Amino acid sequence: MPTTTGYLNHELPYVQFGNGPKPLVVLPGASDAFTGPIDGLKSWFLNWHFRRFTDSFTVYYIRRPSEMAEGYTIEEMADAYADAIADRFAEPVAVYGLSMGGCIAQLLAAEHPEIVDRLVLGVSGCRITEQGTAIAKRWAEFAEAHNWEAIYEESIDVTYSGWRQSLYGALASLPADVTVSVPPIPSDVVVTMNALADIDVCDRLTDIDAPTLVIGGDEDVFFDEQTLRETADSIPNARLYLFRRHGHGVFDEEKRPFDRTVRAFLTETL
């Protein structure tokens, strides 16, 4: 499937794919800071990862700016997205935020309701857990020391379970120059992790007008069941879908039912 790449507002890199009649804006998680320019292979992977949406939507996977200033907040990230989306689209769009991207999407929908007509919060809630905060701060320290192996190894432990945790853990044990790539702008990882550690937007949830789906795992280290329930309960028109005995990686571990649930929400008549 052909893809288009470019920049929105000259600062937000994006990849466009799919041929559906409606736009779907995807906001990636914290891993965005670890990713270099989107080449052919990465474009193919994004096509594959969101393949269940490309017949109904034209997907816009919009990344965050490079060389973010120290102290750059999720509020500033949400404002940058709002400007880019308002400039690109004439009508309100569906927004699908994953993990940290979902936190940004909550602010986007609360502060700019005129540009969001439907909202999906994938493995994301209105605040990060105490354990998640400690992890994010630790990863910021690892990033300052350029200890990418430590981040990679711990991210596997706190994200995946079962065979994925075993397989990815085995890969992590290989020499670092084989398995670990250095982020193109290391300081962006530090900024991202510090912003993640400070996330708490629970007081803004009542300002969200868009119909919302909160979907995640009940054993998520970063956004636990209590937080997911609080998030769904506080948004005026929201529903909650929980996968039992799953953590932060449920969007991969249960990809087919996860995607089908999101797609059903995005395409149904409410």
Side-chain angles (χ1 to χ4, degrees):
M1 183 178 296
T3 60
T4 301
T5 61
Y7 288 84
L8 299 182
N9 275 7
H10 307 289
E11 67 168 346
L12 301 184
Y14 78 96
V15 183
Q16 173 189 337
F17 50 91
N19 51 20
K22 299 179 180 179
L24 172 62
V25 170
V26 176
L27 309 187
S31 61
D32 181 61
F34 292 85
T35 305
I38 302 295
D39 55 20
L41 180 60
K42 292 174 183 174
S43 293
W44 176 89
F45 175 78
L46 288 173
N47 268 286
W48 178 85
H49 190 79
F50 293 99
R51 64 192 181 279
R52 294 188 177 91
F53 303 94
T54 52
D55 58 340
S56 298
F57 297 93
T58 298
V59 179
Y60 294 81
Y61 184 90
I62 307 179
R63 304 183 60 198
R64 290 181 277 283
S66 299
E67 300 184 23
M68 293 180 287
E70 182 179 355
Y72 195 63
T73 65
I74 64 164
E75 288 82 6
E76 292 174 292
M77 297 175 192
D79 287 342
Y81 275 122
D83 291 343
I85 292 171
D87 182 68
R88 178 65 178 80
F89 303 101
E91 301 292 334
V93 298
V95 176
Y96 180 5
L98 279 164
S99 190
M100 183 178 178
C103 301
I104 299 169
Q106 291 169 67
L107 280 177
L108 180 68
E111 297 182 359
H112 306 277
E114 72 283 356
I115 64 177
V116 181
D117 70 354
R118 201 162 294 197
L119 178 65
V120 175
L121 306 179
V123 294
S124 180
C126 63
R127 67 164 60 91
I128 191 171
T129 63
E130 290 185 9
Q131 184 179 2
T133 296
I135 291 170
K137 289 180 177 179
R138 185 160 59 248
W139 289 356
E141 294 174 356
F142 288 154
E144 288 178 336
H146 290 198
N147 188 354
W148 311 117
E149 296 90 341
I151 298 177
Y152 181 63
E153 291 172 359
E154 186 173 12
S155 69
I156 294 170
D157 289 338
V158 300
T159 302
Y160 296 105
S161 60
W163 67 265
R164 284 181 175 82
Q165 188 180 72
S166 299
L167 174 61
Y168 300 159
L171 292 174
S173 66
L174 296 174
D177 58 353
V178 176
T179 60
V180 179
S181 59
V182 176
I185 304 176
S187 62
D188 280 349
V189 179
V190 179
V191 171
T192 296
M193 292 306 159
N194 285 330
L196 178 63
D198 291 336
I199 284 175
D200 187 337
V201 297
C202 296
D203 62 343
R204 301 304 311 276
L205 297 181
T206 56
D207 296 326
I208 297 176
D209 294 332
T212 301
L213 172 66
V214 181
I215 180 170
D218 66 335
E219 298 178 355
D220 194 319
V221 169
F222 297 97
F223 304 98
D224 60 11
E225 179 175 353
Q226 179 180 347
T227 302
L228 296 179
R229 289 190 179 278
E230 178 184 356
T231 303
D233 288 344
S234 300
I235 296 174
N237 186 9
R239 63 187 69 176
L240 174 67
Y241 195 102
L242 279 176
F243 287 84
R244 292 297 179 189
R245 297 179 297 281
H246 278 285
H248 198 63
V250 64
F251 61 93
D252 272 339
E253 295 177 330
E254 297 290 347
K255 183 168 177 53
R256 181 175 295 179
F258 194 99
D259 285 355
R260 285 179 174 174
T261 303
V262 173
R263 176 187 162 87
F265 171 78
L266 289 172
T267 57
E268 72 179 341
T269 301
L270 299 180

